[in-house]
Amino acid sequence: MANSPHGGILKDLYIRDEPIQATLQAEAETLPYVTLTERQLCDLELILNGGFSPLEGFLTEAEYTSVVENLRLPDGTLWAIPIYLDVDRAQLDKLGVSVGSRLTLRDPRDDQPLAILTVSDLYQPSRETEAIKVYGANDQAHPAVHYLYHNTRDTYVGGKLQAVNAPQHYDYVAIRRSPSEVRGLFKKLNWTRVVAFQTRNPMHRAHRELTVRAARMRHANVLIQPVVGLTKPGDIDHFTRVRVYQAIMPKYPNGMAQLSLLPLAMRMGGPREAVWHAIIRKNFGATHFIVGRDHAGPGKNSQGEDFYGPYEAQDLVLKYKDELDIEVVPFQMLTYLPDTDEYMPVNEVPEGTKTLNISGTELRRRLKTGAPIPEWFSYPEVVKILREANPPRDKQGFTVFLTGLHASGKEAIARALQVALNQEGGRSVSLLLGETIRQELSSELGFTKRERDINVARIGFVASELTRSGAACIAAPIAPYKEARQLVRQQVSKAGGFYLVHVATPLEACIKNDRAGVYQRAINGEIKGFTGIDDTYEAPDNADLVADVTKTSISQIVHEIILLLERDGYIGDR
């Protein structure tokens, strides 16, 4: 028999509101609406399907304050993480929202109405208090605290929800299950004791061993329930991770384990988050929950120290074990013993025994460089999937972004670099010259700072997509402003390599090279806002290479760029 929900009743609002769904659908189309953020969408789905039972809406001020200060709802029920709907006050005023208003909540992906919120509270919290009380520090090195200060809107809207539609998913639909569906699955399979395992990372042999050990110890089956909502910035995408989970499931004995996805927006809240995760697994019917070392830990703070102790999360969950009514299965990190070909918790390894381990940093290095990943660490099927998603540098795309004054020689360098990379082979090469982009993508734009920034942003978008596809992209706009260039660097770097080359040819030489006479027209006042004459050029202070065609030949500049690419493994055979 599945575990009882937190608070005693599974608050599945889809089931509750199904008889009046048509009426709610019609009403939703007449109401003012708020389009949800990605995190709000995750939270809403788990409120509506009962994953966040006993919640039936977003927290009011009294509920929020009680959770932040005491880890409890006002009625005394244990609840660890504040779940709120944050909206800009200006937007609420424009919509005429006040206490008693009804508000439609819409999906940001397809604009479908998902729920109706009856507003019972509007309040403005203390971000500092939330950061310190919930996450332990007012330190923006913590991803949730950074989100709090940079993404959270100024007003929290509390109130009860009514379910209109479930969010529409198109990926892995067969293994996206609500708490009611998971409980039904347990009943169908006659599972009465279930150990739940949470993960936001790919699983390897150690994870399989850990979950099987937990099942043996508790005479239970295993629910693998990975997070496919928001996780820690920089984590491997959920598509890759789910392919890994699907590949590892056949490694369990037949009938031992099931895979079910969880659309949770993690906060990386360590101890509090572990309590929250235990409550969620209880709502899904699990009787046991694995809490490992540094559960939901965000890493280092701004002083370079861990935000939480390695077993702080286990300690807090164990403190509330009687109220949680789900048995915690604490685990230490497992390590590999090559002499006996087995995994063992580090605290059980006899002194002097040889052990092997591969850290997350080392795994990423091996994926990046193509170095071998041993079978004692992971299954070949898993490694294959990870290599496909994380190809070595020589299979990744990159962008070389040349910036400099008009007639500085950056276009000639770009064309010569294109020839050199085509000669190298191995990937397609695209050239984005400033004039070409102006004609093809930005013909309606002028030359104000705002319009120049828009033009550079468009170049950045195209470059990032080409880079993501594994191509070599060479961009050569003037791009006079630091902030716009930095935004391009950030965008492209998420997709592959980025190299900023400052073509620092002096203005006098640029004027001399300008056979079209554009500089002279600007000097004469015929052209206004011309970079280098009456508009500024902000020289980069973070260029990967600085070149001047009056001092260095174009072929030598191209060679130096090629050396940068070879150094980082994008070209050449290592």
Side-chain angles (χ1 to χ4, degrees), residues 88 112 521:
D88 286 327
Q112 286 297 306
R521 291 173 60 197

Side-chain angles (χ1 to χ4, degrees), residues 157-187:
V157 184
K160 300 291 187 182
L161 291 163
Q162 289 175 291
V164 179
N165 294 298
Q168 185 69 53
H169 296 289
Y170 298 98
D171 59 327
Y172 307 114
V173 176
I175 51 175
R176 286 182 177 269
R177 302 185 182 100
S178 69
S180 296
E181 291 169 335
V182 171
R183 288 169 169 272
L185 179 65
F186 292 168
K187 184 177 181 180

Side-chain angles (χ1 to χ4, degrees), residues 112 171 197 245 279 286 307 315 329 357 422 495:
Q112 286 297 306
D171 59 327
F197 178 64
Y245 306 139
I279 291 171
F307 272 99
D315 293 342
V329 185
N357 192 33
N422 278 330

Side-chain angles (χ1 to χ4, degrees), residues 15-218:
I15 294 175
R16 184 198 68 185
D17 296 334
E18 196 278 332
I20 57 170
Q21 193 273 337
T23 301
L24 293 172
Q25 175 79 37
E27 183 187 2
E29 299 297 344
T30 69
L31 296 172
Y33 67 88
V34 167
T35 300
L36 300 171
T37 65
E38 190 176 357
R39 184 162 97 169
Q40 292 167 350
L41 178 64
C42 293
D43 289 347
L44 179 71
E45 183 170 2
L46 286 167
I47 295 172
L48 296 181
N49 70 18
F52 284 175
S53 293
L55 303 190
E56 296 181 67
F58 290 102
L59 299 186
T60 63
E61 184 172 18
E63 292 168 334
Y64 167 86
T65 302
S66 182
V67 169
V68 169
E69 296 287 344
N70 306 311
L71 280 86
R72 296 184 184 280
L73 296 168
D75 66 1
T77 303
L78 187 67
W79 191 267
I81 298 290
I83 307 297
Y84 47 76
L85 179 69
D86 55 295
V87 184
D88 286 327
R89 184 75 209 201
Q91 182 183 5
L92 293 169
D93 291 343
K94 183 177 180 180
L95 295 173
V97 173
S98 60
V99 173
S101 297
R102 283 170 67 76
L103 195 61
T104 297
L105 305 183
R106 291 187 175 272
D107 193 317
R109 304 165 303 168
D110 58 14
D111 202 41
Q112 286 297 306
L114 301 179
I116 295 175
L117 174 72
T118 300
V119 178
S120 57
D121 220 348
L122 300 168
Y123 57 103
Q124 294 182 320
S126 164
R127 287 184 169 91
E128 181 178 357
T129 299
E130 183 176 331
I132 293 171
K133 293 285 189 177
V134 178
Y135 304 111
N138 191 28
D139 185 342
Q140 293 191 38
H142 193 298
V145 177
H146 185 275
Y147 187 97
L148 182 63
Y149 280 100
H150 295 275
N151 300 90
T152 303
R153 283 76 169 268
D154 58 11
T155 301
Y156 292 2
V157 184
K160 300 291 187 182
L161 291 163
Q162 289 175 291
V164 179
N165 294 298
Q168 185 69 53
H169 296 289
Y170 298 98
D171 59 327
Y172 307 114
V173 176
I175 51 175
R176 286 182 177 269
R177 302 185 182 100
S178 69
S180 296
E181 291 169 335
V182 171
R183 288 169 169 272
L185 179 65
F186 292 168
K187 184 177 181 180
K188 181 178 180 180
L189 296 174
N190 292 316
W191 285 12
T192 57
R193 297 169 64 84
V194 182
V195 176
F197 178 64
Q198 147 119 8
T199 180
R200 48 170 257 270
N201 294 310
M203 290 177 66
H204 302 288
R205 286 185 183 270
H207 302 99
R208 187 263 185 198
E209 178 63 23
L210 184 152
T211 51
V212 170
R213 278 173 170 259
R216 283 198 217 107
M217 290 167 56
R218 298 304 190 270

Side-chain angles (χ1 to χ4, degrees), residues 51 92 99 107 142 220 238 267 387 455 473 549:
L92 293 169
V99 173
D107 193 317
H142 193 298
H238 82 270
R267 273 64 164 179
R387 288 205 187 280
N455 181 57
C473 176
V549 298

